[in-house]
Every structure is written in structure tokens, then in C-alpha cells.
Amino acid sequence: MDKRLLKRHKRQVSRAKENVRLSAPDLRTPEQIKAAREASRPAQGATKGPNVQGSAASFRNRAATGTGSAAKTGLSD
């Protein structure tokens, strides 16, 4: 059983070595890299969307309305 597993492992390793892909080097200048980073950065403004800090706290502090009233309707005869 160990020989079979060893042969299988060797096959897997040799196939993995054949399929290795090397990434291409980044040939951009530092100025181009900085410009690309600034272009991909999200807009800084008053409206940041749903990820505004403290938005979850407003949901936590909100009082629950109508608790228990729906469970009582129609159950008592």
C-alpha cells in the first residue's frame, strides 16, 4: 500500500511541476503604478455608501415595534 501511495504522489508532483506558470514581471514605471493605484481607490466624500462607520449601531439601538402582537392573533379560541 505504501508503494502505491508513493508512486501516486510522485506522479502528482511531476504533473504539478509541468503545469507551473510563472507570472510576467510588472514593466510599468513607478509613476504609472501610482496613477493606477489612485485611479482604483474609492472616492473620498460625504457619501461612502452602506459601509459608513456607525451605521450598524443605529440598527442596534432602534426599539423593536410591535413585539409579540402578531403571535397572539388568532390563536386563542
Side-chain angles (χ1 to χ4, degrees):
M1 177 121 171
D2 288 341
K3 286 184 180 181
R4 184 176 59 86
L5 289 176
L6 183 64
K7 286 177 74 172
R8 181 178 180 208
H9 178 70
K10 283 184 179 181
R11 279 196 310 269
Q12 287 177 341
V13 169
S14 65
R15 287 179 186 152
K17 284 183 181 179
E18 289 174 1
N19 294 328
V20 170
R21 293 182 185 174
L22 296 176
S23 60
D26 193 2
L27 300 176
R28 298 179 292 177
T29 63
E31 292 83 15
Q32 290 173 332
I33 294 172
K34 286 180 185 177
R37 283 182 185 155
E38 289 176 5
S40 67
R41 193 174 292 162
Q44 299 289 329
T47 57
K48 291 184 181 177
N51 293 333
V52 176
Q53 185 177 5
S55 65
S58 65
F59 291 114
R60 287 190 214 128
N61 295 334
R62 189 173 294 169
T65 58
T67 57
S69 63
K72 294 180 183 176
T73 58
L75 293 178
S76 61
D77 283 328

